């Protein structure tokens, strides 16, 4: 597996686990989270996965261009860049996922017709979803992604640029 593929997959895994953990821990006053909490977490996980997957791919391409230009990145700087890109992509991915979910819900409904009312709530959903992602997800994602970035940079440095 290439270093970029491993980096993107580890970022996706971290985002999935973090999105589920945040939703479950927000309802920590109960002793045992039920199926409803996991279902709620899984509703927002695709938006987080889309943002983190695209962000990891963009940042790894950015790092490759910087490396070819002779600039070396450190793991902390790469993690900050990744977090910035993810936080910029998250509102867009959340909006896209909400529109897709509303469209699927409208197709599956026995009496379609509430799409306009649901789309009226889209800015509120995007604002508060992005706010919650920033408040509860930024620090844990930084801590997790630091190790993924460090591993990626080490694997990139171990690759030989010479042709055999």
């Amino acid at each position: 597996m290439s270093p970029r593929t491993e980096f993107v997959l580890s970022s996706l895994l971290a985002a999935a686990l973090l999105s589920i953990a945040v939703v479950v821990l927000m309802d920590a006053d109960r002793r045992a989270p039920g199926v409803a909490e996991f279902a709620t977490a899984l509703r927002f996980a695709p938006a987080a996965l889309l943002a983190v997957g695209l962000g990891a791919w963009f940042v790894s391409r950015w790092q490759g261009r910087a490396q070819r230009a002779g600039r070396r990145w450190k793991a902390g700087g790469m993690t900050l860049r990744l977090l910035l890109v993810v936080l910029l992509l998250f509102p867009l991915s959340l909006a896209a996922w909400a529109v897709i979910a509303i469209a699927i819900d409208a197709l599956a409904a026995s009496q379609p017709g509430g799409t306009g009312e649901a789309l009226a709530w889209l800015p509120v959903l995007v604002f508060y979803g992005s706010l919650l992602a920033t408040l509860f997800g930024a620090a844990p994602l930084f801590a997790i992604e630091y190790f993924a970035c460090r591993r990626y940079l080490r694997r990139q440095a171990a690759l030989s640029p010479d042709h055999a």
Side-chain angles (χ1 to χ4, degrees):
M1 180 180 320
S2 71
R4 178 176 291 147
T5 306
E6 181 184 347
F7 176 62
V8 171
L9 289 177
S10 65
S11 296
L12 288 173
L13 179 65
L17 294 176
L18 183 63
S19 65
I20 292 170
V22 165
V23 173
V24 169
L25 290 176
M26 285 178 68
D27 195 22
D29 58 340
R30 287 198 260 172
R31 297 235 179 236
V35 176
E37 287 79 18
F38 288 112
T40 303
L42 292 178
R43 285 186 199 136
F44 293 103
L49 292 176
L50 180 64
V52 171
L54 285 174
W57 186 76
F58 284 140
V59 169
S60 65
R61 297 283 308 249
W62 187 6
Q63 187 273 335
R65 285 192 304 272
Q67 186 177 16
R68 285 189 294 279
R71 295 186 307 269
R72 300 192 52 87
W73 282 11
K74 294 187 178 187
M78 185 173 179
T79 308
L80 282 175
R81 288 176 181 100
L82 175 64
L83 194 61
L84 175 69
V85 170
V86 167
L87 289 177
L88 289 175
L89 285 173
F90 189 73
L92 297 173
S93 65
L94 187 60
W97 176 245
V99 168
I100 290 170
I102 289 169
I104 290 171
D105 189 40
L107 288 174
S110 61
Q111 294 179 343
T115 307
E117 294 174 8
L119 288 177
W121 283 95
L122 187 63
V124 175
L125 175 71
V126 169
F127 176 75
Y128 285 113
S130 300
L131 184 65
L132 286 174
T134 303
L135 290 176
F136 294 114
L141 186 64
F142 181 86
I144 295 168
E145 285 295 327
Y146 175 79
F147 297 106
C149 289
R150 188 174 72 173
R151 178 168 171 80
Y152 172 73
L153 291 174
R154 284 184 180 173
R155 287 199 61 201
Q156 282 293 100
L159 294 177
S160 174
D162 299 333
H163 295 292

